[in-house]
Amino acid sequence: MSLRHGLLGLLRHHESTGYELSKLFNESLNYFWKAQMSQVYQELNKLEDLGFLVSRSVVQDKSPNRRVYSITDAGIEEFQSWMRADDWDIGASARNIFLLRFFFAADRNLDEVIEILKKTRGRICQRLEEMIYAKGHYGSHGPEGSDRHRLFWSLTADFGRRVVMARLEWIDETIKILEGVENENSGI
C-alpha cells in the first residue's frame, strides 16, 4: 500500500482536512502503515496536482482557515484500480532493522542484549494496548451505517494484534533461551 492509496481510501466516504486525515491515519492505518503529518500534507498536495483530489479553503473567525480535501472521480478510479489488483502481498518485509541488529548481536554483551529485548518487549506491549484501544474506536471512524466497513477495519486490527502477539511470544522465548545461555556460561 502506498500513502497515496491510504489517503484516497480514507477520503472516499467524506471530505476532511489534512489534520483530520492525519489524525484518522494515526488512529487506524498507522498500525500497519507509518506516515508523519508532514508526509500526509505532501501527499495531499501531490494528489491534488494529479487531479485525484480537490481542496477548498474554509474561513474561520477564531481559528486559522482550514483546507478541506475531497476525492475526485479520477481519485476514485485510481483507488478502485489499485483495489482491483490481485497481487496482494501479506507484508512479510525483507527489511527488518531489528532482526538485522539481532543477527549480529552475538558480538555484544549478553546482558545488554537481554536488556534491549526487555525494553523492546515493553514497547511492544504498549503498542498492543494502543491497538486494542483503537480497535474499539474504529466504528466511529468508518462510514456511518456501514457494518461491512467496520468489520473489515476490525479484521485488519485483529491481524495487527496477532502479529504483535507473535513478536511478544518470540521475544519471551528468546529472552528465556539467552538467560539459559548466560546461566550455562556463568557455571563454567
Side-chain angles (χ1 to χ4, degrees), residues 98-117:
F98 171 83
L99 288 178
L100 183 62
R101 285 184 173 141
F102 187 81
F103 183 83
F104 293 109
D107 296 333
R108 290 197 63 171
N109 177 293
L110 202 52
D111 289 334
E112 290 175 355
V113 174
I114 291 169
E115 188 58 33
I116 290 168
L117 289 172

Side-chain angles (χ1 to χ4, degrees), residues 1 7 16 32 43 47 61 64 67 78 90 100-101 105 109-110 115 117 121-122 128 131 150 153 162 171 177 188:
M1 179 179 104
L7 292 170
S16 297
F32 52 90
E43 193 61 37
L47 288 168
D61 290 334
R67 180 153 301 282
E78 169 65 19
I90 199 152
L100 183 62
R101 285 184 173 141
N109 177 293
L110 202 52
E115 188 58 33
L117 289 172
R121 186 187 194 289
L128 181 60
M131 292 178 79
R150 281 190 287 278
W153 284 38
R162 289 172 187 242
I171 283 182
I177 290 167
I188 296 176

Side-chain angles (χ1 to χ4, degrees), residues 13 15 18 36 47 58 73 99 119 136 174-175 182:
H13 300 289
E15 61 182 21
Q36 302 295 324
L47 288 168
V58 176
D73 289 342
L99 288 178
K119 286 180 182 177
T174 300
I175 289 171
E182 182 178 63

Side-chain angles (χ1 to χ4, degrees), residues 24-39:
L24 179 54
F25 203 96
N26 284 331
E27 293 173 352
S28 59
L29 304 177
N30 191 44
Y31 295 104
F32 52 90
W33 192 267
K34 299 271 186 214
Q36 302 295 324
M37 187 178 288
S38 61
Q39 292 173 301

